[in-house]
């Protein structure tokens, strides 16, 4: 016995008469019995119509349907569990609207397939569940920022943070999202003072990224070298000698904070100057909370000018005598507390004429001085007092002895 199929694209039949369906269509199977010594030859035929089956969701397996956002296109993998189907086209929908391109952004997408007609199955459109793209955890790698050390300036120094170019669906970041913490872990405002600060960014949820606090690391505001503009003072300063100590006030300039202790020196000494002269004013400043230390920073000069002597700078003693006294000469010297007068030259005048005081009367004392440590030379005479010579007592009168007089 032999078996034949009229169309093996529809069905096949083997030598034992077993039929295998291949595709839809009509087929005729023919059975032939050859002639034998006892039987005549005979042929018989039978027709079979094979129709296409209807596809169902469980004829397909969907994998790779849950993934995380990374900026690349995401596709599910659809595998048919049956053969004899047409071309499979995968499409994605949101809110029943087809997504134009293969999904990239985070979200849930309905997966539909369009299956073309095959040899065994009719064309079909089926919904196979969802593709889920999860939002990504943001990290410092997604951000542009620079944690470089900054020098103290007296004003707030913020760290600029932005999203790297090409990253989509990130939460909106502004300066308000950037937070600063001191070394004790306390949140502070935008840093001004010297110190080490930890910088964190509070990232709100975006289309493709989760909300998260990202630690960017630390940056330092270093101390600033002291400059003249950081100080308030008035130099050069010129004053006249007064006999009392002169000072130069040096303070932090307006707005300057964190300067160390200021020590003012005059020609390298902390002793306040009294005497006439020019003094180089320097400051030593210790380390402050925001500033470096500095030694012998020169600010300028303080000049104490010598002054012209006047009458009350002199003291007159030994200025009253009696006629006939030896060495009539007044003592003229610097008044108590007066320091730095030059050499004193004394002259005496009577009736406008310079004289040597010998006779009874009152004499005007005038002086001139050379230049001293604190006083100018007095080239014009200064009247400082008077010298008085009083009359001497009358001499005792004696008479000669005469005889015979009673």
């Amino acid at each position: 016995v032999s078996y034949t199929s009229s169309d093996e694209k529809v069905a096949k039949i083997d030598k034992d008469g077993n039929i295998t369906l291949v595709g839809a269509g009509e087929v005729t199977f023919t059975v032939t019995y050859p002639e034998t010594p006892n039987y005549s030859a005979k042929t018989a035929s039978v027709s079979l119509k094979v129709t296409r089956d209807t596809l169902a969701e469980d004829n397909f397996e969907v994998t790779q349907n849950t993934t995380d956002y990374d900026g690349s296109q995401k596709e599910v993998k659809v595998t048919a569990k049956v053969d004899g189907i047409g071309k499979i086209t995968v499409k994605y929908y949101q809110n029943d609207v087809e997504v134009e391109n293969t999904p990239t952004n985070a979200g849930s997408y309905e997966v539909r397939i369009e299956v073309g007609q095959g040899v065994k199955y009719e064309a079909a459109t089926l919904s196979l569940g969802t593709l889920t793209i999860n939002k990504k955890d943001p990290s410092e790698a997604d951000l542009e920022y620079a944690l470089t050390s900054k020098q103290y300036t007296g004003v707030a120094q913020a760290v600029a943070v932005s999203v790297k170019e090409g990253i989509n669906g990130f939460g909106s970041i502004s300066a308000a999202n950037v937070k600063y913490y001191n070394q004790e872990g306390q949140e502070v405002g935008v840093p001004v003072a010297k110190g080490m600060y930890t910088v964190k960014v509070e990232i709100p949820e975006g289309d493709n990224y989760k909300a998260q606090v990202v630690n960017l690391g630390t940056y330092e505001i270093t101390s600033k070298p002291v400059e003249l503009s950081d100080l308030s003072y008035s130099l050069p300063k010129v004053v006249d000698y007064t006999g009392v100590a002169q000072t130069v006030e040096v303070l932090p300039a307006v707005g300057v904070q964190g300067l160390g202790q200021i020590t003012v020196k005059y020609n390298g000494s902390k002793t306040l100057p009294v005497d006439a002269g020019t003094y180089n004013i320097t400051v030593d400043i210790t380390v402050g909370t925001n500033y470096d230390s500095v030694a012998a920073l020169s600010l300028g000069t303080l000049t104490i000018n010598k002054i012209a002597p006047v009458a009350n700078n002199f003291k007159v003693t030994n200025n009253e005598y009696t006629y006939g006294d030896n060495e009539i000469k007044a003592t003229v010297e610097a008044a108590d507390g007066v320091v730095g007068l030059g050499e004193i030259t004394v002259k005496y005048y009577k009736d406008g004429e310079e004289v040597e005081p010998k006779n009874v009367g009152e004499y005007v004392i005038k002086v001139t001085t050379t230049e001293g440590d604190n006083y100018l030379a007095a080239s014009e005479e200064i009247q400082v007092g008077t010298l008085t010579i009083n009359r001497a007592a009358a001499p005792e009168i004696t008479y000669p002895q005469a005889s015979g007089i009673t």
Side-chain angles (χ1 to χ4, degrees):
V1 179
S2 61
Y3 302 92
T4 60
S5 169
S6 63
D7 190 347
E8 290 193 347
K9 293 182 179 179
V10 176
K12 295 180 180 181
I13 188 168
D14 65 15
K15 62 183 181 62
D16 297 317
N18 297 312
I19 296 171
T20 302
L21 300 179
V22 177
E26 293 184 0
V27 63
T28 299
F29 299 107
T30 301
V31 182
T32 301
Y33 292 89
E35 182 179 354
T36 67
N38 297 317
Y39 293 93
S40 299
K42 187 173 181 179
T43 298
S45 297
V46 62
S47 294
L48 176 66
K49 183 177 182 179
V50 180
T51 59
R52 293 179 176 84
D53 199 356
T54 300
L55 289 168
E57 285 79 1
D58 59 5
N59 294 134
F60 299 90
E61 181 181 11
V62 179
T63 57
Q64 301 177 4
N65 59 340
T66 300
T67 186
D68 293 328
Y69 172 81
D70 62 8
S72 65
Q73 293 183 332
K74 303 296 182 182
E75 296 183 275
V76 298
K77 182 178 180 180
V78 179
T79 304
K81 298 179 182 178
V82 296
D83 58 7
I85 65 174
K87 179 182 178 181
I88 300 174
T89 301
V90 182
K91 295 185 177 182
Y92 304 90
Y93 289 79
Q94 282 188 318
N95 300 320
D96 214 30
V97 177
E98 183 181 355
V99 177
E100 185 175 349
N101 299 311
T102 302
T104 299
N105 294 327
S108 293
Y109 301 83
E110 180 189 1
V111 180
R112 296 180 190 179
I113 59 170
E114 294 180 356
V115 186
Q117 180 177 282
V119 294
K120 293 183 180 179
Y121 289 89
E122 297 287 354
T125 298
L126 302 171
S127 177
L128 299 185
T130 58
L131 163 65
T132 300
I133 302 176
N134 295 317
K135 293 183 178 182
K136 181 182 178 181
D137 289 323
S139 72
E140 64 273 15
D142 301 313
L143 302 170
E144 293 279 5
Y145 60 94
L147 295 181
T148 54
S149 293
K150 305 171 185 288
Q151 190 178 86
Y152 172 78
T153 62
V155 297
Q157 301 195 71
V159 175
V161 182
S162 60
V163 181
K164 284 185 176 178
E165 187 175 351
I167 292 181
N168 298 314
F170 214 85
S172 178
I173 298 175
S174 68
N177 298 97
V178 183
K179 306 296 181 182
Y180 304 88
Y181 299 83
N182 61 21
Q183 289 179 288
E184 288 71 42
Q186 299 167 324
E187 184 178 349
V188 296
V190 180
V192 177
K194 180 182 77 172
M196 188 72 71
Y197 298 90
T198 298
V199 183
K200 298 181 182 181
V201 183
E202 295 180 350
I203 302 172
E205 185 174 9
D207 291 339
N208 294 318
Y209 287 83
K210 298 176 184 177
Q212 190 152 311
V213 177
V214 175
N215 188 335
L216 301 184
T218 59
Y219 84 109
E220 184 179 13
I221 296 180
T222 60
S223 57
K224 178 182 182 293
V226 179
E227 299 177 357
L228 295 181
S229 59
D230 297 316
L231 302 172
S232 174
Y233 58 93
S234 181
L235 289 175
K237 180 179 180 181
V238 179
V239 296
D240 289 336
Y241 172 78
T242 63
V244 297
Q246 301 290 336
T247 62
V248 174
E249 185 177 47
V250 181
L251 300 170
V254 175
V256 171
Q257 296 181 340
L259 203 64
Q261 181 178 349
I262 301 171
T263 300
V264 182
K265 291 186 176 181
Y266 307 83
N267 286 346
S269 171
K270 292 190 287 185
T271 302
L272 298 179
V274 176
D275 294 335
T278 298
Y279 297 84
N280 183 40
I281 307 303
T282 60
V283 289
D284 294 342
I285 303 176
T286 60
V287 173
T289 54
N290 293 319
Y291 284 84
D292 294 333
S293 64
V294 66
L297 179 63
S298 181
L299 305 184
T301 57
L302 163 67
T303 300
I304 302 177
N305 288 327
K306 296 179 180 181
I307 59 173
V310 294
N312 62 5
N313 295 138
F314 301 88
K315 177 173 68 173
V316 179
T317 58
N318 299 325
N319 60 337
E320 187 170 356
Y321 293 88
T322 299
Y323 177 77
D325 288 343
N326 295 324
E327 195 178 4
I328 298 175
K329 182 180 179 181
T331 301
V332 180
E333 58 190 343
D336 293 341
V338 174
V339 179
L341 273 173
E343 184 178 346
I344 302 171
T345 300
V346 181
K347 294 182 180 180
Y348 303 92
Y349 291 83
K350 188 172 179 60
D351 299 327
E353 296 291 331
E354 181 181 356
V355 296
E356 182 179 351
K358 292 181 179 181
N359 297 319
V360 172
E362 187 173 82
Y363 297 83
V364 173
I365 303 173
K366 295 184 179 181
V367 297
T368 58
T369 63
T370 60
E371 185 172 350
D373 290 339
N374 294 318
Y375 288 86
L376 299 171
S379 55
E380 294 186 2
E381 294 175 335
I382 303 170
Q383 183 175 329
V384 296
T386 59
L387 170 70
T388 301
I389 301 177
N390 297 311
R391 288 183 176 87
E396 184 178 351
I397 299 174
T398 60
Y399 298 94
Q401 293 290 324
S403 62
I405 300 175
T406 58

